[in-house]
Amino acid sequence: MTVVTDKLNMRYGGSEKGISYLDFSGEGLICLYGGEASGKTTLLKCIAGLENYEGKVIVNGRERQAEADGGIIMLFDDYGLFGNKTALFNAAYPYLVRKSDKAEALRQADELLKKAGIYAKRSEKAKNLSDKEKLMLALTRLERGAELYLIDNPLKRFCGEERKKLFFSVMYPVLQRLGENADVIYATDDLSELEALQESVLLINFGSRKGTGKLGDLMKNPPNLFCAGLMSDKVIFEARLSADGTCPHIAFGEEKILLPQEGRLLDEDYRGKTVKVSADCEAGADGGLTAVAQGCGYLSFEGCVFRSKLAENLLKNEKIDINLTNICLYDYVSEGRIY
């Protein structure tokens, strides 16, 4: 199965919330990454046929409209449980709503609750379950079978080690199993989950596509500042672009960094202008920059403060020599890559 969106546009009452003319295509297990209000849920709802929109959504070669489709199952970030109904009713609901035999639906629900490890809570109202129990109950709905599963950030209410543990013990096996026989779009706001899955990624921010492809490729050659900023060890700062003869460089404070030309020159329009810069940070003692530890894993140099793994074991105000490598320049306004 393939999922394609073509100039997909959907806004809520003319506000900034929604998605803007978003194009992407993918198949297999697709990871959708973005923060709060980035448009993840809106995109999934459009694909599921739960919203009216402009543009096209094409699933397996067929253009969709806002309509119900038994071949697509969406798991919402709030799980969409019936709080005043029992766990048994919630597990049975996907079968009952399709007019399955009630006794058979309840039997299947009991089996799902046993498999999820919450059979003892079958008579408990969903609203009284713990967050983990609600997650396990919601995941039973994925057992009905579909061609495409849309899973919307199911671990958002968990954090830290608890979230990490639930991802590897619960979500990772579920995603791998579902992906064997169907396509899956998994939305998350946790970068470490993308790194663990190592699948195709769609990066979205405020309703706009910021990148598609393998995460490693996007991070190695970030097409825009949003992608560059995802990596904790990237240095992000502002500098003035200049050149001495044919050698372009960026200048900030008293420091200058020469740029490798790599067969192409910078657009003359950017010479002398302030640009945004991203770079990898490496330890070095060969005449590189000197940074000062700020505590809590942060370094600073020439007024630029950034988080770096190099600072994790340093004492505050301790100095360290650093080199900036894999330097990329971005337009100050559009934040698109220019070098």
Side-chain angles (χ1 to χ4, degrees):
M1 174 179 280
T2 59
V3 180
V4 178
T5 66
D6 181 15
K7 296 181 175 62
L8 185 63
N9 183 52
M10 190 273 166
R11 289 289 173 193
Y12 293 99
S15 70
E16 292 297 320
K17 187 177 181 182
I19 51 180
S20 299
Y21 304 103
L22 191 148
D23 297 336
F24 102 100
S25 62
E27 59 185 326
L29 175 55
I30 301 166
C31 298
L32 175 59
Y33 177 85
E36 187 72 21
S38 61
K40 300 189 301 298
T41 299
T42 300
L43 174 57
L44 293 181
K45 282 184 175 181
C46 288
I47 295 173
L50 301 177
E51 296 282 7
N52 292 302
Y53 50 81
E54 298 174 359
K56 296 179 180 180
V57 174
I58 302 169
V59 177
N60 205 23
R62 179 169 65 89
E63 184 177 347
R64 294 177 49 74
Q65 298 297 327
E67 59 184 17
D69 189 334
I72 296 179
I73 292 179
M74 181 168 177
L75 178 62
F76 296 91
D77 58 358
D78 64 358
Y79 305 147
L81 300 173
F82 297 99
N84 286 318
K85 297 290 186 178
T86 65
L88 179 62
F89 175 88
N90 275 277
Y93 180 75
Y95 303 95
L96 294 173
V97 77
R98 286 168 176 76
K99 297 183 172 54
S100 299
D101 177 75
K102 184 176 180 180
E104 176 61 17
L106 293 175
R107 186 194 69 77
Q108 288 179 311
D110 271 340
E111 291 300 315
L112 292 174
L113 293 175
K114 290 176 183 177
K115 186 177 179 180
I118 53 173
Y119 181 77
K121 298 296 181 79
R122 65 192 300 272
S123 300
E124 191 78 45
K125 288 185 177 180
K127 66 181 181 181
N128 296 327
L129 300 178
S130 69
D131 284 342
K132 182 179 178 180
E133 290 167 344
K134 289 176 182 176
L135 169 65
M136 301 308 296
L137 177 58
L139 290 177
T140 64
R141 295 182 172 179
L142 302 180
E143 299 293 337
R144 181 169 55 81
E147 296 177 342
L148 174 63
Y149 296 91
L150 308 174
I151 304 177
D152 188 13
N153 203 13
L155 302 180
K156 66 178 292 185
R157 64 187 64 196
F158 304 96
C159 59
E161 285 301 314
E162 183 181 19
R163 176 165 184 162
K164 183 177 180 180
K165 182 178 180 180
L166 283 173
F167 175 76
F168 283 104
S169 65
V170 177
M171 285 311 309
Y172 188 86
V174 167
L175 294 173
Q176 295 298 311
R177 178 171 53 80
L178 294 177
E180 291 178 356
N181 301 304
D183 287 335
V184 181
I185 301 180
Y186 178 71
T188 181
D189 57 5
D190 190 306
L191 189 63
S192 65
E193 293 175 8
L194 301 189
E195 294 172 334
L197 290 167
Q198 290 293 306
E199 298 289 346
S200 295
V201 176
L202 168 63
L203 304 177
I204 186 172
N205 191 42
F206 293 111
S208 298
R209 186 185 72 176
K210 292 299 183 181
T212 55
K214 294 294 185 180
L215 183 65
D217 295 335
L218 291 171
M219 297 303 100
K220 183 177 180 180
N221 296 296
N224 49 61
L225 204 62
F226 175 80
C227 289
L230 290 181
M231 301 302 285
S232 62
D233 218 36
K234 290 280 185 185
V235 183
I236 307 293
F237 61 99
E238 296 176 1
R240 184 168 294 276
L241 180 58
S242 187
D244 296 329
T246 60
C247 298
H249 66 260
I250 49 176
F252 51 98
E254 300 298 321
E255 300 289 349
K256 290 183 180 180
I257 299 178
L258 292 178
L259 299 173
Q261 295 194 42
E262 296 179 347
R264 77 179 186 91
L265 295 175
L266 289 162
D267 191 324
E268 290 287 343
D269 290 343
Y270 287 104
R271 302 268 177 120
K273 292 186 177 180
T274 298
V275 295
K276 295 186 178 181
V277 183
S278 77
D280 292 321
C281 179
E282 299 177 352
D286 54 354
L289 304 168
T290 299
V292 180
Q294 300 295 305
C296 300
Y298 285 86
L299 289 173
S300 68
F301 70 95
E302 292 290 334
C304 171
V305 179
F306 59 96
R307 185 169 182 83
S308 174
K309 294 177 182 177
L310 299 176
E312 289 180 353
N313 298 316
L314 297 181
L315 299 175
K316 190 171 183 179
N317 296 322
E318 188 174 347
K319 294 182 179 180
I320 182 174
D321 290 329
I322 63 170
N323 289 319
L324 301 183
T325 61
N326 193 27
I327 295 172
C328 302
L329 307 186
Y330 302 90
D331 182 273
Y332 192 81
V333 176
S334 69
E335 296 189 348
R337 183 169 173 171
I338 60 176
Y339 182 92

